[in-house]
Amino acid sequence: MNDDARTNIGTPRPTPADLGSAELRDQVERTRDELGRTVEALAAKADIKAQAKEKTAALKGQAAEKAAQVSEQIRETAGHVAQAVKDKTPDSLQQKTAQAAAHARESAAKAGQYATDKMPDPLLEQAGHAATAARANRAPLLAAVAAVAVFLLVRRNRGRRR
């Protein structure tokens, strides 16, 4: 219903005898138009599926915003914690840690070079393909490793309970 129909509720409408055929047609057309708008409004209110989709989209957007905010807060907190740990760690320990990391990288590079030198070419090629596949599918590979680790921990704990 439009505002005109609401305000004219108590007002008597002219009877068809009082109206000419052109006026009668205009009144019928206005009534059809008003009825059409009313039906459309009721159909929109009754379309629960569309309303649910709109609500879902709105909630999804809100959740994404909240997740971004929480993620940013976690990054900031982690940065502050890392800085606090670094500030409280003695310089001598930081230097020793840096030296140990450099030594570990150097040893790993030497071991990798030694393995590459001693490995037959076909096996080296297969290892290269496997490494490329592992880099391309890092997430599933990490999930599989985590699943195996959980399985082994559960199995070990069950063995201890017996």
Side-chain angles (χ1 to χ4, degrees):
M1 282 179 143
N2 64 18
D3 291 335
D4 293 341
R6 287 187 190 135
T7 57
N8 294 331
I9 290 177
T11 309
R13 292 194 177 212
T15 61
D18 297 340
L19 298 173
S21 63
E23 291 175 347
L24 191 56
R25 283 190 202 107
D26 287 344
Q27 185 180 5
V28 167
E29 192 59 39
R30 281 193 305 274
T31 305
R32 282 184 184 156
D33 209 27
E34 183 180 317
L35 183 61
R37 285 193 302 272
T38 303
V39 168
E40 286 176 5
L42 289 173
K45 284 185 178 181
D47 191 0
I48 296 172
K49 188 174 182 180
Q51 290 176 2
K53 283 183 180 180
E54 289 174 12
K55 182 94 172 179
T56 301
L59 290 174
K60 192 184 258 187
Q62 290 173 357
E65 288 177 21
K66 188 69 173 174
Q69 289 174 350
V70 169
S71 177
E72 183 60 30
Q73 288 174 347
I74 289 171
R75 279 192 206 104
E76 287 178 12
T77 303
H80 292 306
V81 168
Q83 188 61 43
V85 168
K86 187 176 181 182
D87 291 345
K88 291 183 180 185
T89 304
D91 290 336
S92 60
L93 182 59
Q94 287 181 8
Q95 289 174 351
K96 287 179 183 178
T97 304
Q99 289 173 352
H103 181 69
R105 280 192 296 273
E106 188 178 305
S107 296
K110 284 181 183 178
Q113 186 60 44
Y114 179 77
T116 302
D117 292 343
K118 298 295 182 180
M119 195 178 298
D121 288 337
L123 188 57
L124 185 61
E125 192 173 307
Q126 287 180 348
H129 290 304
T132 302
R135 281 188 208 103
N137 300 309
R138 188 170 282 160
L141 182 63
L142 290 174
V145 168
V148 168
V150 168
F151 171 75
L152 292 175
L153 288 172
V154 168
R155 187 172 170 194
R156 187 177 95 189
N157 285 340
R158 283 186 181 169
R160 287 184 179 174
R161 286 188 217 164
R162 291 181 188 173

